[in-house]
mmCIF file of all heavy atoms in Angstrom:
data_model
loop_
_atom_site.group_PDB
_atom_site.id
_atom_site.type_symbol
_atom_site.label_atom_id
_atom_site.label_comp_id
_atom_site.label_asym_id
_atom_site.label_seq_id
_atom_site.Cartn_x
_atom_site.Cartn_y
_atom_site.Cartn_z
ATOM 1 N N SER B 26 -14.962 -16.495 -20.268
ATOM 2 C CA SER B 26 -15.885 -16.534 -21.402
ATOM 3 C C SER B 26 -15.822 -15.310 -22.317
ATOM 4 O O SER B 26 -16.449 -15.308 -23.374
ATOM 5 C CB SER B 26 -17.324 -16.707 -20.896
ATOM 6 O OG SER B 26 -17.658 -15.669 -19.995
ATOM 7 N N ASP B 27 -15.098 -14.268 -21.943
ATOM 8 C CA ASP B 27 -15.054 -13.046 -22.751
ATOM 9 C C ASP B 27 -13.791 -12.998 -23.601
ATOM 10 O O ASP B 27 -12.693 -12.811 -23.077
ATOM 11 C CB ASP B 27 -15.124 -11.817 -21.836
ATOM 12 C CG ASP B 27 -15.121 -10.508 -22.617
ATOM 13 O OD1 ASP B 27 -15.184 -10.526 -23.864
ATOM 14 O OD2 ASP B 27 -15.065 -9.452 -21.968
ATOM 15 N N ARG B 28 -13.955 -13.140 -24.907
ATOM 16 C CA ARG B 28 -12.790 -13.138 -25.797
ATOM 17 C C ARG B 28 -12.087 -11.781 -25.824
ATOM 18 O O ARG B 28 -10.935 -11.688 -26.247
ATOM 19 C CB ARG B 28 -13.221 -13.514 -27.218
ATOM 20 C CG ARG B 28 -13.583 -14.976 -27.376
ATOM 21 C CD ARG B 28 -13.772 -15.354 -28.839
ATOM 22 N NE ARG B 28 -13.944 -16.793 -28.986
ATOM 23 C CZ ARG B 28 -12.931 -17.635 -29.088
ATOM 24 N NH1 ARG B 28 -11.691 -17.188 -29.057
ATOM 25 N NH2 ARG B 28 -13.145 -18.925 -29.212
ATOM 26 N N GLY B 29 -12.774 -10.745 -25.381
ATOM 27 C CA GLY B 29 -12.177 -9.416 -25.384
ATOM 28 C C GLY B 29 -11.336 -9.117 -24.164
ATOM 29 O O GLY B 29 -10.748 -8.042 -24.061
ATOM 30 N N SER B 30 -11.262 -10.050 -23.226
ATOM 31 C CA SER B 30 -10.503 -9.827 -21.997
ATOM 32 C C SER B 30 -9.027 -9.615 -22.305
ATOM 33 O O SER B 30 -8.462 -10.268 -23.182
ATOM 34 C CB SER B 30 -10.670 -11.012 -21.051
ATOM 35 O OG SER B 30 -12.020 -11.144 -20.666
ATOM 36 N N GLN B 31 -8.417 -8.703 -21.563
ATOM 37 C CA GLN B 31 -7.027 -8.350 -21.855
ATOM 38 C C GLN B 31 -6.104 -8.468 -20.659
ATOM 39 O O GLN B 31 -4.892 -8.493 -20.815
ATOM 40 C CB GLN B 31 -6.982 -6.910 -22.380
ATOM 41 C CG GLN B 31 -7.756 -6.719 -23.668
ATOM 42 C CD GLN B 31 -7.765 -5.274 -24.121
ATOM 43 O OE1 GLN B 31 -7.174 -4.406 -23.474
ATOM 44 N NE2 GLN B 31 -8.413 -4.999 -25.228
ATOM 45 N N SER B 32 -6.679 -8.494 -19.459
ATOM 46 C CA SER B 32 -5.850 -8.523 -18.252
ATOM 47 C C SER B 32 -6.280 -9.702 -17.390
ATOM 48 O O SER B 32 -7.466 -9.918 -17.180
ATOM 49 C CB SER B 32 -6.014 -7.223 -17.458
ATOM 50 O OG SER B 32 -5.717 -6.105 -18.251
ATOM 51 N N PHE B 33 -5.280 -10.421 -16.875
ATOM 52 C CA PHE B 33 -5.546 -11.649 -16.130
ATOM 53 C C PHE B 33 -4.665 -11.656 -14.882
ATOM 54 O O PHE B 33 -3.487 -11.298 -14.959
ATOM 55 C CB PHE B 33 -5.242 -12.880 -16.990
ATOM 56 C CG PHE B 33 -5.942 -12.839 -18.321
ATOM 57 C CD1 PHE B 33 -5.392 -12.146 -19.383
ATOM 58 C CD2 PHE B 33 -7.169 -13.464 -18.482
ATOM 59 C CE1 PHE B 33 -6.043 -12.065 -20.601
ATOM 60 C CE2 PHE B 33 -7.830 -13.398 -19.702
ATOM 61 C CZ PHE B 33 -7.268 -12.697 -20.754
ATOM 62 N N PHE B 34 -5.252 -12.058 -13.770
ATOM 63 C CA PHE B 34 -4.545 -11.948 -12.496
ATOM 64 C C PHE B 34 -4.721 -13.224 -11.678
ATOM 65 O O PHE B 34 -5.775 -13.853 -11.698
ATOM 66 C CB PHE B 34 -5.112 -10.761 -11.692
ATOM 67 C CG PHE B 34 -5.110 -9.455 -12.438
ATOM 68 C CD1 PHE B 34 -6.196 -9.078 -13.207
ATOM 69 C CD2 PHE B 34 -4.023 -8.605 -12.364
ATOM 70 C CE1 PHE B 34 -6.203 -7.874 -13.903
ATOM 71 C CE2 PHE B 34 -4.012 -7.400 -13.051
ATOM 72 C CZ PHE B 34 -5.101 -7.039 -13.821
ATOM 73 N N TRP B 35 -3.669 -13.545 -10.961
ATOM 74 C CA TRP B 35 -3.728 -14.615 -9.960
ATOM 75 C C TRP B 35 -3.449 -14.023 -8.582
ATOM 76 O O TRP B 35 -2.473 -13.275 -8.403
ATOM 77 C CB TRP B 35 -2.706 -15.708 -10.257
ATOM 78 C CG TRP B 35 -3.126 -16.657 -11.340
ATOM 79 C CD1 TRP B 35 -2.717 -16.658 -12.638
ATOM 80 C CD2 TRP B 35 -4.051 -17.744 -11.208
ATOM 81 N NE1 TRP B 35 -3.332 -17.675 -13.319
ATOM 82 C CE2 TRP B 35 -4.139 -18.362 -12.468
ATOM 83 C CE3 TRP B 35 -4.811 -18.262 -10.140
ATOM 84 C CZ2 TRP B 35 -4.959 -19.472 -12.702
ATOM 85 C CZ3 TRP B 35 -5.621 -19.355 -10.374
ATOM 86 C CH2 TRP B 35 -5.689 -19.951 -11.638
ATOM 87 N N TYR B 36 -4.318 -14.365 -7.628
ATOM 88 C CA TYR B 36 -4.165 -13.924 -6.250
ATOM 89 C C TYR B 36 -4.140 -15.156 -5.350
ATOM 90 O O TYR B 36 -4.732 -16.191 -5.656
ATOM 91 C CB TYR B 36 -5.341 -13.031 -5.825
ATOM 92 C CG TYR B 36 -5.315 -11.642 -6.399
ATOM 93 C CD1 TYR B 36 -5.703 -11.398 -7.716
ATOM 94 C CD2 TYR B 36 -4.916 -10.551 -5.624
ATOM 95 C CE1 TYR B 36 -5.690 -10.117 -8.240
ATOM 96 C CE2 TYR B 36 -4.911 -9.263 -6.142
ATOM 97 C CZ TYR B 36 -5.292 -9.066 -7.447
ATOM 98 O OH TYR B 36 -5.278 -7.798 -7.973
ATOM 99 N N ARG B 37 -3.498 -14.997 -4.214
ATOM 100 C CA ARG B 37 -3.481 -16.027 -3.193
ATOM 101 C C ARG B 37 -4.175 -15.465 -1.959
ATOM 102 O O ARG B 37 -3.953 -14.317 -1.564
ATOM 103 C CB ARG B 37 -2.036 -16.403 -2.862
ATOM 104 C CG ARG B 37 -1.870 -17.393 -1.729
ATOM 105 C CD ARG B 37 -0.399 -17.753 -1.584
ATOM 106 N NE ARG B 37 0.408 -16.615 -1.226
ATOM 107 C CZ ARG B 37 1.751 -16.605 -1.289
ATOM 108 N NH1 ARG B 37 2.390 -17.664 -1.722
ATOM 109 N NH2 ARG B 37 2.412 -15.523 -0.926
ATOM 110 N N GLN B 38 -5.002 -16.304 -1.327
ATOM 111 C CA GLN B 38 -5.695 -15.870 -0.125
ATOM 112 C C GLN B 38 -5.561 -16.941 0.947
ATOM 113 O O GLN B 38 -6.060 -18.057 0.790
ATOM 114 C CB GLN B 38 -7.173 -15.567 -0.400
ATOM 115 C CG GLN B 38 -7.900 -14.989 0.798
ATOM 116 C CD GLN B 38 -9.332 -14.587 0.500
ATOM 117 O OE1 GLN B 38 -9.972 -15.133 -0.385
ATOM 118 N NE2 GLN B 38 -9.846 -13.619 1.251
ATOM 119 N N TYR B 39 -4.912 -16.567 2.036
ATOM 120 C CA TYR B 39 -4.846 -17.447 3.196
ATOM 121 C C TYR B 39 -6.140 -17.276 3.985
ATOM 122 O O TYR B 39 -6.766 -16.220 3.956
ATOM 123 C CB TYR B 39 -3.649 -17.105 4.061
ATOM 124 C CG TYR B 39 -2.320 -17.418 3.415
ATOM 125 C CD1 TYR B 39 -1.438 -16.399 3.038
ATOM 126 C CD2 TYR B 39 -1.931 -18.728 3.180
ATOM 127 C CE1 TYR B 39 -0.222 -16.674 2.453
ATOM 128 C CE2 TYR B 39 -0.715 -19.022 2.586
ATOM 129 C CZ TYR B 39 0.138 -17.996 2.228
ATOM 130 O OH TYR B 39 1.350 -18.282 1.636
ATOM 131 N N SER B 40 -6.491 -18.324 4.718
ATOM 132 C CA SER B 40 -7.732 -18.317 5.488
ATOM 133 C C SER B 40 -7.790 -17.126 6.441
ATOM 134 O O SER B 40 -6.853 -16.893 7.216
ATOM 135 C CB SER B 40 -7.853 -19.620 6.272
ATOM 136 O OG SER B 40 -9.052 -19.658 7.005
ATOM 137 N N GLY B 41 -8.849 -16.356 6.351
ATOM 138 C CA GLY B 41 -9.034 -15.211 7.234
ATOM 139 C C GLY B 41 -8.272 -13.967 6.831
ATOM 140 O O GLY B 41 -8.344 -12.940 7.519
ATOM 141 N N LYS B 42 -7.546 -14.041 5.734
ATOM 142 C CA LYS B 42 -6.757 -12.887 5.270
ATOM 143 C C LYS B 42 -7.311 -12.361 3.959
ATOM 144 O O LYS B 42 -8.182 -12.963 3.345
ATOM 145 C CB LYS B 42 -5.287 -13.295 5.084
ATOM 146 C CG LYS B 42 -4.637 -13.857 6.328
ATOM 147 C CD LYS B 42 -4.537 -12.799 7.412
ATOM 148 C CE LYS B 42 -3.769 -13.327 8.617
ATOM 149 N NZ LYS B 42 -3.699 -12.304 9.704
#
Side-chain angles (χ1 to χ4, degrees):
Chain B
S26 57
D27 182 6
R28 288 190 172 274
S30 297
Q31 298 177 1
S32 304
F33 307 84
F34 306 90
W35 281 101
Y36 286 78
R37 175 176 63 193
Q38 185 176 27
Y39 292 112
S40 181
K42 303 295 185 182

